[in-house]
Amino acid sequence: MSAMIPQANPGAGYRAHQAEIDAAVMRALRSGWYVLGAEGRAFEAEFARWLGTTHAVGCANGTDALALALRALDVGPGCAVAAVSHTAVATVAAIEMVGATPVLIDIDPVHYTMDPVELAEVLAHSPPGLPPIRAVIPVHLYGQAANIDAIGAVCAAHGVALIEDCSQAHGATFAGRKVGTFGRVATFSLYPTKNLGALGDGGIVATDDADLAARIAGLRQYGWRTHYISDEVGVNSRLDELQAAILRVKLAHLDADNARRNAIAAIYDTAFGARAPARRADAMHVFHQYVVRVPDRAAEQARLRALDVGTGIHYPVPVHLQPAYLGRVALGPARCTATEIAASEVMSLPMWPQMSDADVERVRSALLHSRTT
Ligand SMILES: *Cc1c(COP(=O)(O)O)cnc(C)c1O
């Protein structure tokens, strides 16, 4: 009997670069400086250079990264923010954290990302009772760019800020540009299972706007511009030196890891034919998740589990149907219909860069096998 192939495996990401990571950790430990220091500054500079923005500001996690971006754009009580329901709950939680009101747009069911046509409709005719929409947060989901061209054009036409949630798409491109370079500001989670993952919590905000970056850097530490003097009310959302040192190592391997994810995806594709995940034209997918639709999902997951293949669901319940949000979150005119169907059918296959060719082949043959039973 062979070992279970997990759906995600952050431990393998550590072991693949263990000597380098251990050395980085020792360097940070011995430095005597543990929060917002030289490692953090170096990581921010290296991340900004890799992404292609002039500024990047580390913070405690991807949810805070969104909340800091919203606050720095003066989005708060009395403002609405358009986002999607087919996402990690964090996207919507961050909007409410700053006191703003979410309005959730349906997805394009082929690419699982925000429908720009419905977004345009909502911006032109805001749902009754909703405060004015001041920002739009499309999510580049599963490793693939949202329709950022169309979404960006709609935001520009209505004068609302575009905040890209890139937490699942570190390195994905659209029209030859990395996601995270299209909006006013972009946010990334650095949670261990993300394409760029710390060995603990982390997040980063990227922008080409120096004033915005400075404001975010203040807000993440009590609103300080100078030590001990709060210019405005801030929070504590700092990235620590250990995580920054680890992330510098991981960043150097990110492009190779994303290429490996694509190679794994290409092999899975052969088991699905026309049912393989759709790639947006003129874009590079980085396969944070390899997601297929399976109408008899529970049975398929059980069949794969019996063949030692782990699967996941991202996400089983759309945000607007979760108990904390049910019945009280504004939806666009499409009522998130495509979102609800997707949530009932999507299934994520094992996807982590250190999978061996033998692991990938085992998953592929399990897929072919399980569908004949
Ligand atoms: C992971 C994730 C977040 C939140 O990140 P945390 O670091 O867990 O706070 C936000 N948005 C999306 C799309 C995510 O996948």
Side-chain angles (χ1 to χ4, degrees), residues 26-330:
M26 290 313 293
R27 185 177 72 229
L29 288 178
R30 287 179 177 139
S31 75
W33 190 287
Y34 302 113
V35 173
L36 294 189
E39 296 290 344
R41 283 191 298 274
F43 172 62
E44 288 171 344
E46 288 159 13
F47 186 86
R49 191 175 324 127
W50 168 84
L51 181 63
T53 57
T54 52
H55 296 82
V57 182
C59 64
N61 56 66
T63 312
D64 282 0
L66 281 166
L68 289 165
L70 287 164
R71 283 226 27 213
L73 291 168
D74 292 311
V75 175
C79 306
V81 178
V84 285
S85 191
H86 190 64
T87 182
V89 71
T91 310
V92 181
I95 297 168
E96 293 199 334
M97 264 172 74
V98 303
T101 304
V103 51
L104 304 182
I105 309 296
D106 207 1
I107 53 168
D108 138 20
V110 175
H111 305 100
Y112 303 105
T113 53
M114 181 182 276
D115 176 5
V117 177
E118 189 189 357
L119 174 69
E121 226 174 295
V122 164
L123 284 168
H125 313 282
S126 197
L130 199 75
I133 298 172
R134 300 291 187 213
V136 175
I137 309 181
V139 180
H140 302 298
L141 200 75
Y142 301 152
Q144 175 151 248
N147 190 347
I148 200 67
D149 241 9
I151 293 168
V154 170
C155 289
H158 291 269
V160 302
L162 172 59
I163 301 173
E164 299 178 74
D165 184 347
C166 304
S167 290
Q168 301 194 4
H170 317 64
T173 66
F174 181 78
R177 265 167 70 190
K178 285 200 177 88
V179 302
T181 63
F182 291 86
R184 273 297 297 284
V185 54
T187 67
F188 298 77
S189 168
L190 305 169
Y191 183 76
T193 57
K194 308 291 183 176
N195 288 42
L196 176 61
L199 302 179
D201 274 312
I204 196 161
V205 188
T207 180
D208 280 330
D209 181 331
D211 294 335
L212 202 62
R215 185 149 182 221
I216 291 164
L219 284 168
R220 75 172 161 180
Q221 181 164 241
Y222 317 124
W224 290 352
R225 194 160 50 201
T226 347
H227 244 64
Y228 308 121
I229 309 294
S230 295
D231 287 305
E232 62 178 326
V233 175
V235 296
N236 176 357
S237 181
R238 298 175 295 218
L239 180 64
D240 72 68
E241 291 286 281
L242 278 175
Q243 297 307 334
I246 292 164
L247 285 160
R248 293 179 67 193
V249 174
K250 294 281 208 86
L251 179 61
H253 298 287
L254 176 57
D255 292 339
D257 284 353
N258 282 341
R260 175 67 183 156
R261 288 173 184 269
N262 265 284
I264 295 166
I267 293 167
Y268 289 169
D269 281 351
T270 63
F272 290 105
R275 291 167 53 240
R279 273 70 153 182
R280 196 180 289 289
D282 201 16
M284 185 179 76
H285 202 312
V286 292
F287 288 99
H288 174 58
Q289 304 294 357
Y290 185 98
V291 173
V292 289
R293 292 215 188 209
V294 213
D296 63 336
R297 180 170 64 191
E300 178 69 2
Q301 285 189 289
R303 287 192 291 266
L304 290 171
R305 197 177 313 118
L307 296 166
D308 290 317
V309 171
T311 56
I313 302 175
H314 301 93
Y315 294 90
V317 182
V319 174
H320 69 280
L321 296 181
Q322 295 182 25
Y325 300 90
L326 187 66
R328 66 170 192 83
V329 178

Side-chain angles (χ1 to χ4, degrees), residues 4-13 15 191-194 261 288-289 309-312 314 348-355:
M4 185 82 175
I5 300 176
Q7 199 266 319
N9 192 350
R15 288 188 298 276
Y191 183 76
T193 57
K194 308 291 183 176
R261 288 173 184 269
H288 174 58
Q289 304 294 357
V309 171
T311 56
H314 301 93
S348 309
L349 293 177
M351 179 53 80
W352 34 283
Q354 296 75 28
M355 287 179 78

